[in-house]
Amino acid sequence: MPAQKNRNKLSVPEAPEASGVPAAPNGTEAQTYAVHRENGSVLAQILMDPRRSFTVVVISYINADVLRIDAARVAAQVGSAAQVFEVANGVETHRLERALPELMHIFGTGARVYPHGHQWTTRTPRPHVPRRRDQVAALYQALELEVLAAEYSNAPATLPVSVISEALVMGFPAADRAVVEVLPGGEQAVIRGEDLLPGVPVSWLVNKGQRLTGLHNPGTHVFDINSLLLPRPSPVSVYKHGDVALARVNSVCAELALVHLWPNNDFRIGVESISSNDLDSAEDLLTEGEVVRVRVLYENGAVRLSMLDVDDDETAVPAPALVHGGPAWLDYDRPYTSIFTAGSAVTGTTPDGLNATSQTGSSGVDHDEKESLLSPAQRRTALQSTQMQLVSARRTIDDLVAAAKQQGATDKVARALQDQLEDERRDSAGLARRLDTAEHQIEAIREELARTKTALVQLRQQRRSATSRTEMAAETLFTDPADQFTYDLLQAWARSVPPAEKDAHPLGTYSCNPQFLASWLAITEQQRSKTLRAVVDLVAERTGALRKREPHVLRLNEGAHAKPTMRGEDVCMRLYVEQRTAGALRLHYWKLRSGGVELHEVVSHNVVKP
């Protein structure tokens, strides 16, 4: 790259002889090369630019530190072979670090050479972090050699060609990675989440043991299955009106939440469709990344989602798969903490047009608890500071060993060097212990954060379950329990059956005996609401909803050939009112020979006699 001679030109602070740069012959003026100063974000953009065709030397410095690397001298030594950038330690090096790949940062008083070309991150030398003034002189020569090596190592190479292969999924070492075994050779490769659907764990896309066909790159060991991604479906092709679906909470503010029925497809749910309490805030009831149950409704050609009157035991339509042959991408029973794995925190954006910091009612959860923990940036900075010191200590040990071998030191010097080497080793061991302690502390904090988030989700789920009920305690309007039940059933039918389906599913012929009414009065208000919906499905002959309740003949005993329970020509039947709850309720009823049904009793699931 041609030297940039006229932009951001800095004068060399020392005379050429003093700085070690040879003076130009015949009294001509020495060439001065530019030292560039950019903030960390801009410097990261320069380094990560795929079109970058020049080597970069980055020098970091600490203000007011007496130990400082002379950037102008480095620029004069490397000449046109590289561009030199200087960046202040602190805020700017943190910005640089966040925008670069892992372990590509520079820290403190240090210098690092960044090659260019294909896979330059794999050829980037370690950072130089001098601890003493006498180490700085050797640093200048090392930088010059590394720049030269970077230029010669950048010869274009033939990239490996990806081939169509089959592979078997072996496991998931991280949220955004899956290890596969390429068949038939057995070579291992990796599926990267960022190549598919960023933000969605790979274990939600493919199953362990699943056989896949994709493009295998032997050079990068990457297995690409983009061709297996399924197109995004239309809601109407997956869900019918009134179906319960699974959705992932993408972001939450006080007035509404954005949820995904599938990735990158926002559906809004207002707080009035989450809770029947006018004082509730959506932020108190939902957590970003949480998987929730929603009812899919179609109104005037538009999709509307609601969480009101959705029972925890109500069967949800399985979420669609995102990869051909893969699992349903959402699973309500998947542990919430699996969403937050190391290096894969789920984040969301605040819904447009709303103030995410708007004041809401208290949720009973102390949100200031998180401030007592170190932030991710602080933990990362502390850990990397320790790592840099450890690298520096190891480099000092290498320097001391090399000096002892090359200089043929006397016994006295050798003993001094050996003592210094032991000191450095002790320091290195101490730093290693500090690093190990820091890593254990970070892991403990991460586990504590996961437990806290899981507990918070459970509390919000319990509160949401209590506040999402729209029915009020039934008002007694009739002295006769049968008349009151008939009134309540008519109201439940009016709410449950969409207007367009009422003509096709009117309330049919039914009756209820005294035993049913007694059992009806003995259950809780919430259980009555569930029982009403079950009776509506039965009496209105809502075939789809009724099939999920699995109506079946109640037999005399549990034997395989037991006879059905009969009353003359009437047969006793049984269906689910609740599922997957302790003491789940069942409805016993008689299917009459003359037509219609007689409601017999609401019982616990372990009662198998009429």
Side-chain angles (χ1 to χ4, degrees):
M1 175 95 184
Q4 302 197 15
K5 305 176 183 178
N6 299 318
R7 186 165 67 92
N8 299 332
K9 187 179 291 183
L10 299 178
S11 59
V12 180
E14 300 176 338
E17 293 82 356
S19 63
V21 181
N26 301 326
T28 59
E29 190 174 330
Q31 175 67 61
T32 302
Y33 291 92
V35 175
H36 309 282
R37 289 191 177 93
E38 300 285 3
N39 64 50
S41 300
V42 173
L43 180 53
Q45 291 177 3
I46 294 173
L47 292 174
M48 297 303 296
D49 188 347
R51 297 167 297 178
R52 177 166 65 89
S53 58
F54 53 89
T55 299
V56 171
V57 180
V58 176
I59 297 172
S60 60
Y61 64 89
I62 300 176
N63 286 318
D65 193 347
V66 294
L67 186 63
R68 184 163 176 173
I69 301 169
D70 188 348
R73 175 174 175 175
V74 174
Q77 282 190 262
V78 300
S80 62
Q83 291 192 21
V84 178
F85 289 79
E86 198 171 30
V87 61
N89 181 64
V91 174
E92 299 304 333
T93 52
H94 285 228
R95 289 175 178 170
L96 175 64
E97 172 197 350
R98 286 194 294 267
L100 290 179
E102 188 177 7
L103 300 180
M104 288 290 107
H105 58 282
I106 184 67
F107 201 83
T109 297
R112 192 166 195 176
V113 175
Y114 294 85
H116 62 95
H118 179 62
Q119 294 185 344
W120 62 268
T121 56
T122 63
R123 296 181 284 108
T124 301
R126 295 185 304 173
H128 298 272
V129 186
R131 300 179 64 188
R132 302 187 306 274
R133 188 178 297 276
D134 59 349
Q135 293 177 331
V136 176
L139 179 145
Y140 294 127
Q141 183 179 5
L143 290 176
E144 187 174 8
L145 292 175
E146 287 177 359
V147 168
L148 184 63
E151 291 299 302
Y152 277 98
S153 66
N154 195 38
T158 302
L159 297 178
V161 177
S162 297
V163 294
I164 299 177
S165 307
E166 287 192 339
L168 198 65
V169 180
M170 306 301 293
F172 307 95
D176 59 348
R177 293 290 185 270
V179 174
V180 300
E181 182 180 287
V182 181
L183 304 174
E187 179 184 355
Q188 286 200 340
V190 65
I191 298 175
R192 304 184 302 191
E194 62 267 27
D195 296 336
L196 300 170
L197 295 166
V200 179
V202 180
S203 59
W204 298 10
L205 305 178
V206 296
N207 284 315
K208 184 176 180 179
Q210 184 176 350
R211 196 181 184 103
L212 304 170
T213 301
L215 291 175
H216 175 227
N217 188 317
T220 60
H221 304 290
V222 171
F223 195 77
D224 185 357
I225 59 169
N226 262 285
S227 60
L228 299 182
L229 286 175
L230 296 172
R232 188 173 69 191
S234 168
V236 71
S237 66
V238 180
Y239 306 108
K240 296 180 295 186
H241 180 87
D243 277 349
V244 174
L246 297 180
R248 186 186 187 189
V249 180
N250 183 44
S251 58
V252 188
C253 67
E255 293 84 1
L256 61 86
L258 295 181
V259 301
H260 287 170
L261 293 178
W262 34 81
N264 305 319
N265 192 19
D266 288 338
F267 290 89
R268 293 178 175 237
I269 303 183
V271 67
E272 69 280 356
S273 297
I274 300 173
S275 170
S276 57
N277 186 343
D278 295 339
L279 301 179
D280 274 339
S281 163
E283 292 174 313
D284 296 335
L285 301 172
L286 297 174
T287 307
E288 291 183 4
E290 181 185 3
V291 177
V292 298
R293 297 170 181 268
V294 298
R295 195 174 301 281
V296 181
L297 305 171
Y298 300 105
E299 296 180 353
N300 300 321
V303 179
R304 185 175 73 84
L305 303 183
S306 174
M307 299 178 68
L308 299 176
D309 300 322
V310 178
D311 295 325
D312 293 337
D313 62 341
E314 193 167 354
T315 304
V317 176
L322 303 180
V323 170
H324 183 71
W329 86 284
L330 293 180
D331 182 355
Y332 190 73
D333 296 325
R334 182 184 290 125
Y336 175 76
T337 50
S338 71
I339 299 172
F340 294 96
T341 55
S344 181
V346 176
T347 59
T349 56
T350 302
D352 295 337
L354 292 177
N355 182 1
T357 60
S358 59
Q359 190 172 6
T360 64
S362 171
S363 64
V365 179
D366 186 1
H367 297 289
D368 291 332
E369 270 187 26
K370 63 183 180 183
E371 293 181 3
S372 64
L373 304 176
L374 291 175
S375 68
Q378 289 172 324
R379 295 199 302 271
R380 186 168 56 248
T381 299
L383 179 59
Q384 290 169 347
S385 176
T386 305
Q387 288 175 327
M388 295 292 287
Q389 293 176 20
L390 184 59
V391 169
S392 176
R394 288 173 176 165
R395 185 180 291 278
T396 300
I397 293 173
D398 294 341
D399 292 343
L400 291 172
V401 173
K405 291 181 180 178
Q406 294 176 2
Q407 296 176 9
T410 62
D411 291 344
K412 183 177 180 180
V413 175
R415 282 195 299 274
L417 290 174
Q418 185 65 33
D419 292 342
Q420 191 173 359
L421 176 60
E422 292 301 324
D423 290 342
E424 295 291 349
R425 282 177 174 166
R426 281 193 294 272
D427 291 345
S428 177
L431 290 171
R433 285 193 296 271
R434 287 174 57 191
L435 175 61
D436 184 63
T437 301
E439 289 176 339
H440 279 81
Q441 289 175 342
I442 290 172
E443 185 61 30
I445 290 171
R446 183 181 292 118
E447 292 174 357
E448 181 182 352
L449 180 61
R451 288 194 297 269
T452 302
K453 287 181 175 178
T454 301
L456 178 61
V457 168
Q458 291 172 350
L459 288 173
R460 286 176 171 171
Q461 286 175 342
Q462 292 171 6
R463 179 171 179 178
R464 191 170 64 240
S465 178
T467 60
S468 64
R469 310 254 47 97
T470 58
E471 63 268 4
M472 305 296 292
E475 183 181 3
T476 302
L477 300 176
F478 301 90
T479 57
D480 186 349
D483 292 338
Q484 182 68 43
F485 176 78
T486 300
Y487 172 75
D488 293 341
L489 182 64
L490 182 61
Q491 283 192 316
W493 173 79
R495 286 195 302 264
S496 301
V497 180
E501 299 180 14
K502 281 186 167 60
D503 289 340
H505 297 285
L507 286 175
T509 302
Y510 76 95
S511 62
C512 45
N513 61 30
Q515 191 172 344
F516 170 80
L517 293 174
S519 65
W520 165 260
L521 295 174
I523 58 180
T524 66
E525 194 65 41
Q526 187 173 3
Q527 289 174 327
R528 290 182 191 178
S529 298
K530 294 179 179 181
T531 304
L532 283 171
R533 287 195 288 272
V535 175
V536 167
D537 292 340
L538 171 66
V539 177
E541 298 183 1
R542 303 182 68 198
T543 309
L546 189 59
R547 187 182 302 115
K548 297 176 183 178
R549 299 188 182 276
E550 301 182 16
H552 55 279
V553 172
L554 183 63
R555 299 187 179 276
L556 293 174
N557 56 56
E558 297 180 358
H561 303 289
K563 295 182 179 180
T565 302
M566 303 293 294
R567 187 185 64 184
E569 294 184 341
D570 303 332
V571 60
C572 192
M573 303 289 289
R574 172 184 173 103
L575 58 77
Y576 292 150
V577 173
E578 296 178 312
Q579 298 183 58
R580 297 184 296 179
T581 61
L585 297 182
R586 302 291 185 262
L587 173 65
H588 289 178
Y589 63 96
W590 295 98
K591 192 173 182 180
L592 305 179
R593 173 73 174 176
S594 58
V597 297
E598 177 186 317
L599 305 178
H600 179 70
E601 191 176 12
V602 182
V603 299
S604 176
H605 70 91
N606 56 353
V607 177
V608 293
K609 296 291 184 180

